[in-house]
Amino acid sequence: MSRPPQQPFTTRDATMQAYADHISRGKVELFEELGIDLVLGRRDGPFFWDAFDDRRFYNCHCNGGVFNLGHRNPTIVTALRDALDHIDVGNHHLVSGWKAELARRLAATTGDRLSGAVLSPSGSEAIDVAIKTATAVSGRRTIVSAHGAYHGHTGLAASAADARYHEPYGLALPGFMHVPWNDLPAMDGAITDDTALVLLETVPATLGMPMPDDGYLAGVQQLCRDRGAFFALDEVQTGLGRSGRMWCFEHDEVEPDILVTGKGLGGGLYPIAATLMTPAVHRFYDDEPFVHVSSYGGSDLGCVVALAVLDVVEEPGFLERVEEVGMRLEKELTPLPCEVRRRGLFMGLKWPDEGAGALAAAACIEAGVFAVFANNDTSVLQLLPPLTLDDAQVDELAELLVGALA
Ligand SMILES: Cc1ncc(COP(=O)(O)O)c(C=O)c1O
């Protein structure tokens, strides 16, 4: 066993100071105000520990799904370690069996309906691919997405996200428009014969996990079909088993033309994301094989990791277990004076008052459960436990949550 890496700074204060000097003073000051003095130290399974006083936290933020399978999941670590002895990122111009196999396995999760893939290093880039492929194939120029959405930080993804993610940069690219989430008449009014793409999160995490009304996503899909627009779902947070199904849209029985996945696909160890497409959309890359290149996009190492992630999520009983744990936690949390929004272990606790999600997050952190509020609805506490909790951990987590939030 090798020695763990040393913390680069010997004290909490020195770490905070260097972070403030070189990364963001505002972040350090805000955390100080909120009484959150955490520095991430060792991590294992559902837990991480503070680097300086060894406080232990259940990770119920999971970076939005990056740690779906817990920290340093042994299956994924072994796959990556073994691969590191023999391969590297590969060459994005050349044919690669790893890339082909990952695309094949991802296609299989959609019953081969979304049989083409473009692989990327991050969810944001995979969203950019969805947007620019839709405009390229349709010849249209308008993108419709939802107020309060989050689709990432790159130029196109940030433009599709809520204004708070592009306005601070003075970045308002033409062609992007936003409608209220869950409002079919508004969507009806927005989709025109210039709409290339409607892009939605299946359940918008940053908006506080409001569940789509029955028939909302199917209605949006029908509008897209009727008017010749493509329909894309962003499952960067909701996908890969988080909702108790492989893809959260399976709950809504819709069939998107484009599906974006990321975060958990890299197992918390190696960045990789994917944009899956129907053959009608993906044929663009048959005609233009070198139009989209990415040095680290779909690296061979990332593919090895992603294949191991799929192996774990596709183990018999895995998805059923996610639903079972979700139901157990919901039952324990029901006495709390909040609405429990949930699909599988994609959970949001909606409190009556604005800002209450932030207070709830502070109480959870104090109790040893790391969870954060929804940025675009501060009345909601996001709760995304690892999908790999054992029974004793479920019981302990429920007790900590109820104790912190009662
Ligand atoms: C729904 C959703 N889409 C896209 C992204 C962007 O992914 P990344 O941070 O990997 O660029 C995120 C990240 O939080 C997300 O939550």
Side-chain angles (χ1 to χ4, degrees):
M1 192 75 169
S2 55
R3 276 194 324 125
Q6 292 299 302
Q7 279 287 329
F9 301 93
T10 48
T11 64
R12 187 184 308 280
D13 284 352
T15 309
M16 294 289 180
Q17 188 64 50
Y19 197 97
D21 287 347
H22 300 289
I23 304 220
S24 171
R25 186 167 307 283
K27 187 185 284 189
V28 170
E29 285 173 0
L30 178 69
F31 281 150
E32 214 170 72
E33 235 172 74
L34 296 171
I36 300 171
D37 60 351
L38 257 172
V39 175
L40 200 54
R42 68 196 165 93
R43 337 129 197 216
D44 190 26
F47 306 113
F48 65 80
W49 286 260
D50 181 80
F52 295 105
D53 61 17
D54 223 32
R55 271 171 296 161
R56 188 200 72 171
F57 296 87
Y58 272 96
N59 191 350
C60 288
H61 175 229
C62 277
N63 300 18
V66 166
F67 297 110
N68 275 348
L69 303 183
H71 289 278
R72 307 182 39 72
N73 182 290
T75 304
I76 321 295
V77 169
T78 302
L80 180 57
R81 264 211 184 109
D82 289 351
L84 279 169
D85 283 341
H86 302 283
I87 62 171
D88 52 22
V89 298
N91 183 317
H92 57 298
H93 292 297
L94 294 180
V95 169
S96 151
W98 304 114
K99 297 183 203 335
E101 176 61 359
L102 178 60
R104 188 190 71 79
R105 288 280 299 277
L106 286 169
T109 66
T110 70
D112 286 328
R113 229 182 50 78
L114 303 178
S115 59
V118 175
L119 304 173
S120 298
S122 72
S124 302
E125 287 162 90
I127 292 285
D128 277 16
V129 167
I131 292 170
K132 68 186 188 179
T133 309
T135 55
V137 175
S138 67
R140 300 174 173 198
R141 290 291 165 267
T142 311
I143 310 299
V144 182
S145 53
H147 292 298
Y150 184 68
H151 296 292
H153 57 270
T154 49
L156 300 178
S159 299
D162 190 79
R164 70 189 300 174
Y165 302 106
H166 53 260
E167 275 182 354
Y169 292 94
L171 176 85
L173 294 183
F176 287 87
M177 63 178 297
H178 299 78
V179 294
W181 162 256
N182 236 345
D183 183 338
L184 201 52
M187 189 62 87
D188 188 9
I191 304 176
T192 69
D193 58 9
D194 192 44
T195 305
L197 184 71
V198 173
L199 169 66
L200 295 173
E201 291 160 89
T202 307
V203 182
T206 311
L207 192 53
M209 289 106 158
M211 296 298 149
D213 289 343
D214 278 351
Y216 172 64
L217 292 175
V220 174
Q221 174 173 285
Q222 192 57 50
L223 289 170
C224 290
R225 298 270 147 88
D226 292 346
R227 297 179 198 173
F230 291 120
F231 176 45
L233 287 174
D234 176 345
E235 294 237 5
V236 168
Q237 289 221 21
T238 51
L240 296 170
R242 168 60 62 184
S243 78
R245 310 267 177 99
M246 176 59 84
W247 304 113
C248 189
F249 70 76
E250 294 169 27
H251 292 270
D252 302 277
E253 296 181 0
V254 290
E255 294 191 329
D257 304 296
I258 302 175
L259 172 67
V260 180
T261 180
K263 287 197 188 271
L265 192 62
L269 288 167
Y270 202 99
I272 185 160
T275 314
L276 309 184
M277 308 167 195
T278 60
V281 183
H282 189 256
R283 68 157 196 265
F284 181 71
Y285 296 99
D286 296 330
D287 300 338
E288 297 275 3
F290 290 100
V291 68
H292 176 83
V293 284
S294 169
S295 305
Y296 282 83
S299 72
D300 288 355
L301 285 171
C303 290
V304 168
V305 164
L307 285 164
V309 167
L310 291 180
D311 286 345
V312 174
V313 176
E314 289 178 344
E315 270 167 22
F318 184 92
L319 296 174
E320 290 78 3
R321 168 75 183 167
V322 171
E323 178 56 20
E324 180 202 319
V325 173
M327 275 167 42
R328 270 172 66 180
L329 285 177
E330 180 175 350
K331 190 161 160 250
E332 298 287 344
L333 298 175
T334 298
L336 297 176
C338 62
E339 174 198 346
V340 180
R341 297 173 167 177
R342 182 182 78 79
R343 273 189 184 176
L345 281 168
F346 187 77
M347 302 176 75
L349 306 188
K350 162 96 178 153
W351 304 83
D353 303 315
E354 203 180 313
L359 296 177
C364 285
I365 292 169
E366 180 72 29
V369 177
F370 187 70
V372 304
F373 59 93
N375 210 23
N376 296 337
D377 181 351
T378 59
S379 68
V380 175
L381 176 74
Q382 298 178 327
L383 209 54
L384 300 173
L387 309 182
T388 49
L389 296 174
D390 66 27
D391 285 340
Q393 290 164 347
V394 176
D395 290 343
E396 187 186 21
L397 176 60
E399 201 179 308
L400 291 172
L401 284 169
V402 172
L405 298 173

